[in-house]
Amino acid sequence: MTATTAKPTSLSNIPLDIPTPTLVIDKAVALRNIKKLADYSKKHNLGVRPHTKTHKSIFFAKEQVKAGAVGLTVAKVGEAEVMANACNDLLLAYPALDPFRTGRIADLAKTHTMRVGLDSAYAADAIAAAAVAAGSTVGILVDLDLGFHRTGVQNPAEALALAQHISKTKGLRFDGVMFFPGNLWGDEPKMIQDLAALSVNLDEILLTFRKHGLEAKIVSGGSTPTAWLSHHVAALTETRPGTYIYNDRNCITVNVATIDDCAARIIATVVSNAVPGKVVLDCGTKTLTSDRLILDPNTAGHGYIVEYPKAKLVRLSEEHGEMDLTGCDRVPKLGERVQVIPNHICPCVNLQPHAYIKHENGSLEKVVVDARGLLS
Ligand SMILES: Cc1ncc(COP(=O)(O)O)c(C=O)c1O
């Protein structure tokens, strides 16, 4: 990633009575990011169903809904139960099939439009049984594997068989398809090419459905790196980016965000300078996780230090972040605080019981990370 010169930012000078390491969110930047995607989507007549796994916050979910989101996405039923406070239209983009999840999904469907993305008749039947028992109906999106190879049916015939099964099953409603292009990271021309290829496969599946009398009302796809290129997939009705609200170092490397667009940062304190050539921050894997930079996993280190753009966070232990100072024109002092932009912000948010929101007037508000730690 390109290092720019250090400059004071809006999150400098967090009061010393706030303990570190801590997560601070610049509200104005987060709202700007929400508006930017809302404007793009309006222009291209696309719905946005933001993935709330990034912020896990009822407050920011409500802001996304206010900006025109057609609904919200979650990965976990616990997240759905929390986000039910922000929106009445939820997509669980995860193959929930065990009794710990299905009963709660069916219960949510009594009061909310509840949809699940899944890739097996097994999961469909499990949700159907729970829905019938609860007296509710759950909308289903068939999860398609269009290149990420994580989940999703593998070809038009499998997609059709599952869609037909769903359409015939009591307690379920066939609503359409979803996919996650998590394999697409890179420069814009390459991503446009890849999205065109993906589009061909997607269109073939939708055509197969139509030939058999099935219409996918919802075609839900998208990630943060592909968000601004979604208009290259003509069949899409909605996108599901999550990271875009805060952005992170991965987003900077693929030019979908600048440093100034990174709304959420870890504030850390320099706790040791005893070993020559480095200083140690009070943030290790229990704050930043071990996630590497996607496009440079081996040499890029564990985060971007805003005040020391040439420094590298070379090694993490659980509570220590070792900052190599080679190339830096100054050396951080003991007790100094710095802002770290994590490689991948989403799991970092999940590690924090609370965060500080910096309001437009500069005040800091301590808030709970509402859906933190809800893993089922
Ligand atoms: C199914 C699904 N949809 C949407 C997203 C959001 O993508 P991003 O994190 O790039 O914003 C994710 C991310 O993991 C996902 O797994």
Side-chain angles (χ1 to χ4, degrees):
M1 92 185 248
T2 14
T4 58
T5 48
K7 60 175 180 178
T9 72
S10 60
L11 296 184
S12 299
N13 307 322
I14 294 301
L16 288 174
D17 59 353
I18 292 180
T20 65
T22 195
L23 174 70
V24 181
I25 299 153
D26 189 317
K27 182 176 149 198
V29 177
L31 296 185
R32 188 178 77 206
N33 294 338
I34 292 174
K35 181 174 182 323
K36 189 175 158 201
L37 186 71
D39 289 348
Y40 164 84
S41 305
K42 209 165 158 194
K43 179 171 163 207
H44 293 287
N45 200 21
L46 275 164
V48 193
R49 189 183 293 278
H51 206 313
T52 56
K53 52 112 193 181
T54 302
H55 56 66
K56 289 181 167 262
S57 149
I58 296 172
F59 172 79
F60 281 116
K62 285 184 174 170
E63 290 295 329
Q64 289 171 317
V65 172
K66 247 198 263 172
V70 295
L72 297 173
T73 306
V74 296
K76 302 305 177 110
V77 184
E79 291 173 350
E81 289 163 345
V82 169
M83 293 307 155
N85 293 293
C87 187
N88 60 14
D89 189 324
L90 301 170
L91 167 63
L92 187 97
Y94 197 84
L97 49 70
D98 57 278
F100 299 103
R101 291 177 168 99
T102 53
R104 290 151 70 202
I105 291 168
D107 278 346
L108 276 168
K110 290 186 203 164
T111 51
H112 290 67
T113 298
M114 190 66 213
R115 297 188 177 91
V116 179
L118 49 77
D119 60 5
S120 68
Y122 182 103
D125 291 346
I127 292 170
V132 168
S136 61
T137 302
V138 177
I140 303 293
L141 304 186
V142 172
D143 181 10
L144 312 173
D145 177 8
L146 297 180
F148 189 38
H149 306 323
R150 180 178 67 181
T151 59
V153 296
Q154 295 295 300
N155 53 54
E158 282 185 19
L160 177 66
L162 185 52
Q164 287 176 324
H165 180 75
I166 291 160
S167 312
K168 282 188 240 138
T169 302
K170 195 159 179 268
L172 304 183
R173 185 183 63 243
F174 171 67
D175 280 348
V177 296
M178 63 158 271
F179 63 93
F180 175 57
N183 51 314
L184 302 189
W185 286 86
D187 57 33
E188 197 170 305
K190 174 81 171 85
M191 288 219 283
I192 291 174
Q193 235 177 37
D194 290 343
L195 286 170
L198 176 154
S199 232
V200 171
N201 293 332
L202 176 61
D203 288 348
E204 190 188 343
I205 292 167
L206 298 176
L207 185 64
T208 307
F209 284 178
R210 263 179 237 123
K211 279 187 190 155
H212 290 82
L214 288 172
E215 194 60 40
K217 280 198 313 270
I218 296 178
V219 180
S220 176
S223 60
T224 293
T226 60
W228 314 102
L229 302 172
S230 302
H231 56 287
H232 291 278
V233 183
L236 274 183
T237 62
E238 62 176 47
T239 65
R240 297 189 317 276
T243 310
Y244 84 101
I245 182 170
Y246 291 163
N247 291 306
D248 57 21
R249 195 169 171 225
N250 275 319
C251 297
I252 298 171
T253 57
V254 289
N255 297 317
V256 292
T258 64
I259 290 165
D260 290 339
D261 296 328
C262 292
R265 299 169 183 203
I266 298 293
I267 309 297
T269 302
V270 177
V271 292
S272 172
N273 62 4
V275 177
K278 66 170 79 167
V279 301
V280 177
L281 302 179
D282 61 351
C283 55
T285 55
K286 283 184 173 166
T287 304
L288 295 174
T289 79
S290 300
D291 277 14
R292 297 289 182 152
L293 203 63
I294 289 178
L295 291 185
D296 184 4
N298 298 322
T299 66
H302 296 276
Y304 177 79
I305 300 157
V306 176
E307 293 81 357
Y308 295 90
K310 290 188 180 156
K312 207 192 261 187
L313 215 37
V314 283
R315 188 168 68 160
L316 301 184
S317 350
E318 287 178 52
E319 307 294 0
H320 301 72
E322 296 174 37
M323 210 172 134
D324 181 296
L325 298 167
T326 311
C328 294
D329 41 22
R330 62 199 177 95
V331 175
K333 297 184 190 65
L334 282 178
E336 185 174 331
R337 289 176 166 206
V338 295
Q339 303 168 62
V340 183
I341 297 175
N343 289 344
H344 184 191
I345 188 67
C346 311
C348 300
V349 171
N350 191 50
L351 291 172
Q352 297 283 335
H354 54 254
Y356 288 85
I357 293 186
K358 184 179 175 240
H359 289 283
E360 290 86 337
N361 65 5
S363 66
L364 286 170
E365 182 189 0
K366 186 175 178 180
V367 294
V368 170
V369 179
D370 302 295
R372 180 232 180 187
L374 300 178
L375 299 181
S376 71

